[in-house]
Amino acid sequence: MNASFTVVQKSCYLIKGDKGFVLIDTGTSNKSGKILKALTSQGGRPEDLKLIIITHTHFDHVGSLAALKKLTAANVLIHKAEAENLEKGYTEIPKGAMQVARTLAWLSKRFYILRGNFECVQPDITITDNYDLADHGLRGNIIHTPGHTLGSISVALEGQYCFVGDTLFNIFPGSIYPPFANHPELLCQSWQRLLDTGCEFFHPAHGRVIGRKTLIKHCDNLKSNNSGGIKKRRNNLYYSALWSVGESNP
């Protein structure tokens, strides 16, 4: 099969497979109507949404999950390390991985600028590592890509497209490193796991699609900086002069 996907908004993707539709993340709150409108535009009905994959439990990825589950009865899939957050409806604002993000994280915790609350949801499927999507009508699999959070996951389809949540960002010139990361020491391994899928296009939740050559360059740079320690990485990684590809929807 050849999966087709629709970018519903900046942080979620709707994919049409052989057995119905699969949604990757749900965006912030009050986005269920927009997502269902996108589903209808692709010839689907609410009951045709069969699976919702949550890449991690930050509020801008799960804000509309509870509403969509009620409206569609879709199964919810998440990594085991994120399941408790989903069940209690709260995730702490993540640690900043660069100075501006560290300042924002501190201000958020002190003055509640960003709130990590959302309506709690009981997951239907919890995974710990690779998960084959064949039973859901897609030729691809889910892989564990910790770093941004401990239970972050990515979705690789047909050896071409990989939907990476916040494991990659593409909003800062010359960098694809996430500005927030609770476990930065795990990102290098996770980026390599993304490359090991063989995919050519990596779709982050924030920013434009990233090409394979770009990811290889940044991954090599991250490995080099890792060998020099975390302080060196913080000082040098974000401003490396590496080219990036423009947005595309193959």
Side-chain angles (χ1 to χ4, degrees):
M1 53 84 64
N2 291 312
S4 61
F5 65 90
T6 301
V7 182
V8 181
Q9 61 169 40
K10 64 181 180 180
S11 60
C12 54
Y13 296 87
L14 182 66
I15 302 167
K16 186 176 183 179
D18 289 341
K19 297 183 179 181
F21 289 83
V22 174
L23 180 67
I24 301 175
D25 288 335
T26 69
T28 55
S29 60
N30 301 316
K31 293 298 187 293
S32 57
K34 183 176 182 179
I35 291 171
L36 290 180
K37 184 176 180 180
L39 179 65
T40 301
S41 72
Q42 297 298 312
R45 300 166 297 176
E47 58 267 30
D48 294 326
L49 181 59
K50 302 299 185 182
L51 180 67
I52 302 174
I53 299 170
I54 299 299
T55 61
H56 63 291
T57 54
H58 287 159
F59 69 95
D60 55 331
H61 294 258
V62 297
S64 293
L65 177 59
L68 284 168
K69 186 166 176 59
K70 292 172 184 175
L71 291 167
T72 67
N75 286 328
V76 173
L77 181 150
I78 197 166
H79 192 274
K80 183 178 180 180
E82 304 279 315
E84 183 179 353
N85 295 334
L86 192 64
E87 291 166 354
K88 69 182 182 182
Y90 176 76
T91 298
E92 186 175 340
I93 299 301
K95 299 174 184 177
M98 59 180 70
Q99 186 56 53
V100 64
R102 288 195 291 272
T103 301
L104 180 57
W106 181 84
L107 289 171
S108 297
K109 292 176 182 179
R110 186 172 178 84
F111 300 108
Y112 300 98
I113 297 172
L114 295 174
R115 296 181 180 271
N117 300 80
F118 50 87
E119 187 174 350
C120 59
V121 175
Q122 183 70 34
D124 302 288
I125 304 169
T126 57
I127 67 172
T128 57
D129 202 353
N130 285 3
Y131 181 87
D132 194 331
L133 288 167
D135 288 344
H136 303 281
L138 295 176
R139 185 165 63 86
N141 62 299
I142 299 171
I143 60 173
H144 186 205
T145 49
H148 179 66
T149 68
L150 189 59
S152 288
I153 56 178
S154 299
V155 183
L157 296 181
E158 302 181 346
Q160 286 289 317
Y161 318 115
C162 196
F163 303 89
V164 301
D166 288 356
T167 297
L168 301 171
F169 267 64
N170 196 12
I171 59 176
F172 300 111
S175 175
I176 59 173
Y177 198 90
F180 298 94
N182 283 336
H183 301 276
E185 72 281 1
L186 301 177
L187 276 170
C188 186
Q189 179 182 359
S190 291
W191 285 11
Q192 186 59 55
R193 293 193 79 185
L194 293 177
L195 289 171
D196 290 345
T197 66
C199 289
E200 293 291 334
F201 304 99
F202 301 86
H203 296 265
H206 306 280
R208 298 183 295 180
V209 63
I210 297 163
R212 182 175 180 84
K213 289 182 179 179
T214 296
L215 180 54
I216 289 172
K217 277 196 169 185
H218 282 272
C219 189
D220 288 344
N221 189 63
L222 181 57
K223 291 175 182 177
S224 175
N225 279 289
N226 273 345
S227 65
I230 184 68
K231 184 175 180 180
K232 180 180 178 183
R233 181 165 72 253
R234 283 176 174 168
N235 289 338
N236 298 335
L237 178 64
Y238 312 108
Y239 306 104
S240 55
L242 300 176
W243 66 274
S244 60
V245 298
E247 184 169 15
S248 65
N249 189 354

